[in-house]
Amino acid sequence: MRAAFGAVVCLGLAACASVEVAPAPASKDAAGSVAYGLVKSLTTEVGPRLAGTKAEAAARDWAVRTLKGLKFSRVTVEPFAFDAWERGAASARIVGPGQAQELAVVALGRSVSTPARGITAPVAFVASFDDLLAAPPNAYAGKIVFINDRMVRAKDGAGYGPAVRKRGKGAVEAAKRGALAVVIRSVGTDHDRLPHTGQMRYEKGVRKIPAAAVSAPDADQIERLHDMGLTVRLHLTLRARDVPKAPSGNVVADIVGREKPEEIVLLGAHLDSWDLGTGAIDDAAGVGIVVAAALRAAGSDLAPKRTIRVVLFGAEEVGVVGGEAFAKAHAGEAKSYAAAMEADFGTGAVWHFRTKVAENDLAFFDAIGRALAPLGIERGANDSTGGADVEPLAKLGVPIVSLGQDGTHYFDLHHTANDTFDKIDPVALEQCVEAYARAVRMIANR
Amino acid sequence: MRAAFGAVVCLGLAACASVEVAPAPASKDAAGSVAYGLVKSLTTEVGPRLAGTKAEAAARDWAVRTLKGLKFSRVTVEPFAFDAWERGAASARIVGPGQAQELAVVALGRSVSTPARGITAPVAFVASFDDLLAAPPNAYAGKIVFINDRMVRAKDGAGYGPAVRKRGKGAVEAAKRGALAVVIRSVGTDHDRLPHTGQMRYEKGVRKIPAAAVSAPDADQIERLHDMGLTVRLHLTLRARDVPKAPSGNVVADIVGREKPEEIVLLGAHLDSWDLGTGAIDDAAGVGIVVAAALRAAGSDLAPKRTIRVVLFGAEEVGVVGGEAFAKAHAGEAKSYAAAMEADFGTGAVWHFRTKVAENDLAFFDAIGRALAPLGIERGANDSTGGADVEPLAKLGVPIVSLGQDGTHYFDLHHTANDTFDKIDPVALEQCVEAYARAVRMIANR
């Protein structure tokens, strides 16, 4: 079958061909298939789209063409620049004891390079990030610090916060203790030889040391050798480069309201992805969900009462640069937003509905909760802080609606080379589109 | 708990320490834990062990020390040499249309290198190996042939034979039709960005072209672009080198029979592995199974009626070189073998029992079948050809016993970087040890 909106989508590579839409497996609904078709198109034709690169620019071009083709109006790019980073080759090898063994390794985003010849040093095995924090200055002088925290699998992704601290701050804390480099067990829940990248940070006044992640099986290998009482020696080589003032931008598109066009329901997702995979679950899925949900919520005449705005953010992975830029540029109109939502948690079905709205609006949002309940969605608390890209809007007082997706398997793939189109579950994706559409429709037509 | 035999095992790296054995999950049986401990030790301390390399030699040293420590007698290495191959760097990139996209790629074993600058050429999309065979001479002149066969998942691994033809013969058949190189969809059943390597062959008189495999998601990407009517251009670089007259060997160890020491029950597995992972399922699992089963079958006094012989073959992956060498060296004693068995199908539970024995021996082997039935094992036909390493013995008339393991998930990992110790299922491994031990015990004490 072809989707209702499929025929008008101009793709990036095939000149204005139809979106080729897979049959909607558990639903005949067209918009769900639009979502699946969009994820397919973005991940296949643009592929990886690291923030600040030509590939991210190609994704913006794709988005502009696609959204215009889907009859959004006021499709614009709001450009910004930021200091970007590009990955080079990475390699890591156990060089002793025993036989040399290659490890599956990636640089963390923003990491400096090693010297060209690499770094060879004994590993200081650190069981957890908390152990690292507890170590005295110079505890790891001349060593490569290895941090072995495991991430806990959870439906709501609650294991991510504790586990990701070592990624963000591991290099700084290891450098303060004399380390030459830091290598972490990937922040993830899988057992594949596919390491997870993600942004790390340096601190002013602290020596910048290279930072990398190995896959879980490689971390296991280091752990087993350590448990045998052996000191592992690693050879680590990372090449990377900083790209100052790289271009990025947010793509903004509206379905203009017929009664209160100045009041806006915002639906966000991010266009950029990490560079290892094609960013299917992170966040082409979100792009598909919010675009399809906006269309479905607007109805077949595309004339909701209020304006429905889709924002496809740039440079989210590298520090929510697009989200901050958007909030700054639109701070003056913060009061115009009836609600902001985002989709950035893959392809799992929505199971949870939280808000952060005024107390006197709760009755209305509780009614949305009742409309979502038949989809298997629980009403949560009125304490949401929004996702990454809408959090800056939340801080400006914009009402927030959060649809929590099932993230049980999200961190198996997150930020790895395995984040590709084949991982998209079209049935769950369709449920997401319907959930977002129901919420948006009610807010837009309130 | 520690295993009964654990305390005497000398490991490669920790000087004669105990095998650290995980608690046997569904069994208190020591030998099962010996198997798990052996898989752990071999994969951790030796790691990848490509045939003909120092790592394979280290595996032989490990095997000799380990088998002596486990009180096998007559532990010997039977050396041989063969023309080996070592992998170098591999990269593949979609260079058009649209954005460049890196592919997950590996060289197939034995492949020649590309020129140092790589090969850049349009892809000839070939849906199946049969389509390749049907194409006329010069059909693919100047192209990189991409062969897209999918492997069918099956409990008995039946999908492998049809799917692996493209790996073995794809380069020859593509070269005959003018191709510059061949790239195949990996022979496997997973959807990970981890390509499957494996041996390929050249033919005298046919131009040698580079041969590589991409992961299933990368093959999907090429297929989607092709289905959009686009011609994909690939850039492929492979570095590899031939290593003439490389050393390898089979490790042979006996538990000498007390009544008929000259009659032998042979249990085989292979020591070498592909180089991408640590060869846990292929074939450290088999090594663990046959060693532990031999000990268990021999009983606590290690005195079976007949001799139980473990053979850990070298250079299996690269053309069953060790299996052929053993059969040649031992051809004169072929009549001494009461039976030969091998374990080379990962860590799945045994579900099937086949034989190739004399008709007048069937009643006895059917009794073994009845002893295996309580483990959930079905009696199959008397038509086995043996596994790769014992097939040369089968051709000499040695009776064959085949215990078929559940291979439903085996080809998710087979020949990939993902073949690591964490993939070993200790419960299933223990069932395998028990199944092999029951069969061996009955044959050895017949």
Side-chain angles (χ1 to χ4, degrees), chain A residues 13 40 43-46 55 58 98-99 101 191-194 217 221 224 228 276 417-418 420-423, chain B residues 13 40 43-47 55 58 98-99 101 191-194 217 221 224 228 276 417-418 420-423:
Chain A
L13 300 173
K40 182 177 179 178
T43 57
T44 304
E45 295 173 62
V46 182
Q99 291 302 305
Q101 300 192 29
H191 291 274
D192 293 314
R193 296 286 302 285
L194 295 165
Q221 191 80 326
R224 279 191 297 269
M228 289 173 182
L276 303 173
N418 234 355
T420 48
F421 179 66
D422 50 294
K423 311 308 187 304
Chain B
L13 300 172
K40 181 177 178 178
T43 58
T44 304
E45 296 172 62
V46 181
Q99 292 301 305
Q101 300 191 30
H191 290 274
D192 294 313
R193 296 287 300 286
L194 294 166
Q221 190 80 325
R224 281 191 295 270
M228 287 173 182
L276 303 173
N418 233 354
T420 48
F421 179 66
D422 52 294
K423 311 308 187 306

Side-chain angles (χ1 to χ4, degrees), chain B residues 58-131:
Chain B
R60 285 193 297 281
D61 293 345
W62 173 92
V64 168
R65 277 196 306 277
T66 300
L67 291 164
K68 285 183 176 172
L70 290 168
K71 303 208 187 295
F72 281 80
S73 53
R74 300 194 301 215
V75 179
T76 55
V77 176
E78 300 184 354
F80 56 86
F82 75 109
D83 291 336
W85 173 92
E86 286 185 21
R87 183 186 309 285
S91 70
R93 190 163 62 243
I94 294 174
V95 292
Q99 292 301 305
Q101 300 191 30
E102 294 291 331
L103 303 179
V105 68
V106 291
L108 296 178
R110 184 63 63 197
S111 173
V112 295
S113 299
T114 61
R117 68 181 181 284
I119 295 171
T120 305
V123 166
F125 185 92
V126 180
S128 70
F129 183 67
D130 287 327
D131 282 6

